[in-house]
């Protein structure tokens, strides 16, 4: 176990130290950067699979790829194909991704610190903040309205929705806000909208994990905390 490889999952909960494998490890040739944990949940993916990629701008030589450990029981490969692959491709600088589903032994493992995470790690390190903004903004031009309401109304689960949000949407539309349902758009389209907006309002949720990565300085944010 390498202490720096632990990933912060919540306020005081880290990934546990690994147990010795029951089967021999296969050989994965080359130098691989350990990216962290791959979880299907959008917000957790941002906070657990991306925060170590800042190191790619600080290495003397480009690694052969990224090693990502899928969360047990989740098909992260399908999530990457359907939705999150372009985001990982941008921030991973096009490097191949190896999903570590069985034990492997690499020739060299690069294990950067986790540049940001949940709660008290949300602010991130200067290096991680600069990396995310630089690469995402360079890859995706701003495109969209200046006033954006980020809605949760079309999420599948009623538990994820906000009471009376259809009425809220009507009020916000009358106030000049474009209504935006991020789950109906690709990750790159979401980045383009957040880059273009100068006022962003909406209920707390995973969409607001991504927006701060690329918002222009001075953008005003109104965050609605749903009631119990």
């Amino acid at each position: 176990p390498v202490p720096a490889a632990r990933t912060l999952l919540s306020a005081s909960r880290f990934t546990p130290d690994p147990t010795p494998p029951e089967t021999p490890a296969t050989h994965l040739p080359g130098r691989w950067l350990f990216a962290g944990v791959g979880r299907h949940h959008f917000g957790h993916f941002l906070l657990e699979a991306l925060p170590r990629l800042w190191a790619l701008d600080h290495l003397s030589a480009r690694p052969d790829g990224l090693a990502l450990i899928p969360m047990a029981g989740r098909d992260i490969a399908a999530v990457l194909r359907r939705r999150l692959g372009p985001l990982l491709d941008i921030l991973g600088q096009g490097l191949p991704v190896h999903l570590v589903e069985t034990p492997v032994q690499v020739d060299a493992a690069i294990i950067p610190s986790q540049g940001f995470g949940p709660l008290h790690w949300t602010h991130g390190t200067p290096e991680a903040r600069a990396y995310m903004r630089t690469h995402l903004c360079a890859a995706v031009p701003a495109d969209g309205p200046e006033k954006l309401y980020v809605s949760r109304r079309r999420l599948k689960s009623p538990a994820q929705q906000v009471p009376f949000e259809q009425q809220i949407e009507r009020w916000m539309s009358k106030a000049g806000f474009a209504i935006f349902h991020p789950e109906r758009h690709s990750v790159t389209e979401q980045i383009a909208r957040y880059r273009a907006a100068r006022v962003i309002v909406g209920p707390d949720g995973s969409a607001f994990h991504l927006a701060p990565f690329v918002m222009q300085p001075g953008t005003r944010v109104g965050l609605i905390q749903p009631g119990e």
Side-chain angles (χ1 to χ4, degrees):
V2 178
R6 297 191 309 164
T7 299
L8 180 65
L9 302 174
S10 60
S12 58
R13 187 169 63 97
F14 286 85
T15 51
D17 287 339
T19 56
E22 298 179 358
T23 56
T26 57
H27 180 221
L28 180 63
R31 299 171 64 250
W32 292 79
L33 186 142
F34 173 63
V37 178
R39 203 182 318 194
H40 72 295
H41 183 280
F42 183 67
H44 283 283
F45 184 88
L46 297 183
L47 294 175
E48 297 164 14
L50 304 181
R52 302 175 192 271
L53 301 182
W54 64 268
L56 290 173
D57 275 358
H58 300 269
L59 298 176
S60 58
R62 183 176 170 88
D64 293 295
L66 309 175
L68 187 67
I69 298 179
M71 188 176 185
R74 302 295 183 181
D75 188 0
I76 190 64
V79 175
L80 291 175
R81 287 193 303 270
R82 291 196 306 262
R83 192 164 188 81
L84 297 176
L87 182 62
L88 189 57
D89 190 57
I90 292 170
L91 292 174
Q93 301 186 24
L95 288 167
V97 178
H98 179 82
L99 300 179
V100 185
E101 298 176 301
T102 59
V104 296
Q105 182 175 10
V106 298
D107 295 324
I110 303 163
I111 305 178
S113 61
Q114 187 177 349
F116 56 89
L119 298 176
H120 59 291
W121 285 16
T122 301
H123 61 282
T125 64
E127 293 84 357
R129 292 199 304 269
Y131 184 86
M132 298 297 154
R133 178 170 296 276
T134 298
H135 286 271
L136 290 174
C137 290
V140 184
D143 181 22
E146 290 193 358
K147 299 172 71 175
L148 200 66
Y149 178 77
V150 182
S151 175
R152 295 174 66 84
R153 183 173 62 85
R154 292 184 175 177
L155 294 178
K156 295 179 180 178
S157 171
Q160 296 176 310
Q161 298 171 6
V162 174
F164 309 111
E165 193 161 27
Q166 191 167 7
Q167 177 63 57
I168 296 173
E169 287 185 0
R170 287 196 289 265
W171 289 335
M172 298 304 291
S173 182
K174 288 181 180 179
F177 282 78
I179 309 303
F180 186 59
H181 300 96
E183 73 280 1
R184 301 296 179 95
H185 298 266
S186 69
V187 169
T188 52
E189 289 171 336
Q190 293 177 48
I191 291 170
R193 299 297 188 275
Y194 300 144
R195 287 202 63 202
R198 293 298 176 267
V199 184
I200 305 177
V201 179
D204 188 13
S206 296
F208 281 97
H209 287 61
L210 179 59
F213 283 33
V214 296
M215 288 190 309
Q216 293 299 317
T219 299
R220 292 183 293 163
V221 175
L223 193 63
I224 300 172
Q225 292 288 354
E228 293 293 333

